[in-house]
Amino acid sequence: MPLTINIDLSDEDLQHFAGVVESARREASDKSNAEVVEAATQLATKASQSNPPQFVKDRLLMLDSLIAMLRDEGWALSEADAANVRSALAYFVSAGDAIPDNVPVLGFIDDAIMIELCARELRHEIEAYDDFCDFRQREAERRKLDPASVGRADWLEGRRDELQERMHKRRNRDFRGGFGSGFGTGFGGSSGYGPVRRYSDTGWRPGPFRFR
């Protein structure tokens, strides 16, 4: 029979993760998008092949979305926005793990927690990107096109700009302390951060990783 375990993180726990993230960001400050994406992809691939618990599988979907944002030509993030995503993914460049990844079942729990925290900090980016992917999929199908082949098509530009503007407004509203200020102060607590919207997989996005 299944067993449900709830994980409650105290303010002290969140501060610990915040310190880990900040250290990882410093270590990865000279890494390119490609290097950070490669490290995160390797972690996601290794985790998916280990038959992890559902909690981890759900977070791998979020990680997959963050990776896709940096690889998606059609989404065309500015350098500043790409730096925000790269900063969140920097943790996965670091070799340090609270729980070694080779520990059966539990080995990727700490990575999954970190993905959840990163996804909450980037929830507006994830929501905007999911909406963009859904739009691209629907519009490509209407035009009888393969969504993987449209690149930066002109008909994507208006919707992309609209969604990225929404993303900026919501991020500026919620993160007045600057990117990264949410760690240790608001996840699931009193600052008003809602849970990140669950990953949408109805629209095409760069793979090759799809976690089911």
Side-chain angles (χ1 to χ4, degrees), residues 36 197 210:
V36 172
R197 187 173 76 183
R210 293 267 74 88

Side-chain angles (χ1 to χ4, degrees), residues 45-133:
T45 303
K46 183 178 178 182
S48 69
Q49 293 172 347
S50 70
N51 191 28
Q54 192 61 46
F55 174 84
V56 175
K57 290 180 180 178
D58 291 343
R59 273 70 197 171
L60 291 177
L61 292 173
M62 298 181 194
L63 179 58
D64 190 39
S65 195
L66 294 175
I67 291 169
M69 282 186 208
L70 292 180
R71 302 181 70 234
D72 196 330
E73 178 186 7
W75 187 227
L77 284 177
S78 68
E79 174 52 35
D81 289 329
N84 284 345
V85 180
R86 186 169 62 245
S87 184
L89 291 176
Y91 166 79
F92 304 103
V93 177
S94 172
D97 258 347
I99 305 172
D101 291 341
N102 60 0
V103 175
V105 181
L106 299 178
F108 292 98
I109 291 293
D110 56 329
D111 297 309
I113 291 172
M114 189 60 69
I115 294 168
E116 175 72 21
L117 297 182
C118 290
R120 290 194 178 205
E121 187 165 7
L122 289 169
R123 67 188 181 93
H124 299 311
E125 282 82 350
I126 291 173
E127 289 175 3
Y129 183 56
D130 282 352
D131 288 346
F132 173 78
C133 292

